[in-house]
């Protein structure tokens, strides 16, 4: 299994579990395997000088979540803009099977204001 940055940020329990299993007192083989996997988890995350891996992991995770939120917001904004353009292009067309609301039934004559 390839441990990508996306996989580890979506499932942070993997990193935290491997960190804890490295200190498992029951089996030397389990500790060794967990240490090897934990080191593989560190590869996709840039760790700056003086920074612990878990700090870098949380920072990268936060950045990725913010990026995902921005992308989602942009997608939703594009969809809303597209829907508004379609609605504007459709104008006053009535969709087959759609009922006219009472406001739409009023004629222009009914809409004129009465001036005393």
């Amino acid at each position: 299994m390839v441990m990508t940055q996306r996989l580890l940020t979506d499932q942070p329990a993997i990193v935290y579990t491997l960190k804890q299993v490295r200190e498992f007192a029951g089996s030397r083989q389990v500790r060794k395997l967990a240490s090897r996997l934990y080191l593989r988890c560190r590869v996709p995350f840039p760790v700056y000088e003086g920074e612990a891996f878990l700090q870098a992991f949380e920072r990268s995770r936060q950045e990725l979540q913010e990026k995902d939120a921005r992308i989602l917001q942009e997608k939703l904004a594009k969809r809303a803009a597209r829907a508004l353009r379609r609605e504007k292009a459709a104008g006053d067309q009535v969709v087959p099977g759609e009922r006219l609301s009472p406001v739409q039934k009023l004629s222009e004559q009914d809409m004129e204001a009465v001036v005393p």
Side-chain angles (χ1 to χ4, degrees):
M1 173 195 276
V2 178
M3 290 193 217
T4 63
Q5 186 177 18
R6 172 62 69 183
L7 171 73
L8 296 173
T9 53
D10 288 346
Q11 302 294 329
I14 295 171
V15 174
Y16 294 117
T17 302
L18 286 173
K19 184 176 184 328
Q20 290 176 344
V21 172
R22 287 182 348 170
E23 300 165 6
F24 180 63
S27 171
R28 183 172 178 248
Q29 286 181 326
V30 171
R31 283 194 313 265
K32 190 174 180 180
L33 179 61
S35 292
R36 199 167 57 222
L37 290 172
Y38 187 74
L39 289 174
R40 282 180 50 193
C41 289
R42 296 175 67 149
V43 172
F45 300 97
V47 179
Y48 300 121
E49 188 175 332
E51 184 178 41
F53 165 68
L54 288 178
Q55 291 173 330
F57 174 70
E58 286 299 327
R59 177 181 41 79
S60 294
R61 188 169 168 243
Q62 182 68 27
E63 289 171 359
L64 196 57
Q65 287 175 340
E66 289 171 0
K67 179 182 173 185
D68 288 347
R70 279 194 309 271
I71 290 171
L72 179 62
Q73 189 175 16
E74 289 171 3
K75 280 183 181 179
L76 292 176
K78 286 179 184 178
R79 285 182 185 173
R82 194 174 337 148
L84 288 174
R85 280 194 307 259
R86 285 181 185 163
E87 186 177 309
K88 186 176 180 182
D92 293 333
Q93 296 176 359
V94 178
V95 177
E98 181 181 293
R99 293 185 192 171
L100 292 176
S101 67
V103 175
Q104 292 172 327
K105 290 181 182 177
L106 295 176
S107 65
E108 289 182 19
Q109 183 182 16
D110 296 332
M111 298 283 243
E112 291 180 8
V114 178
V115 179

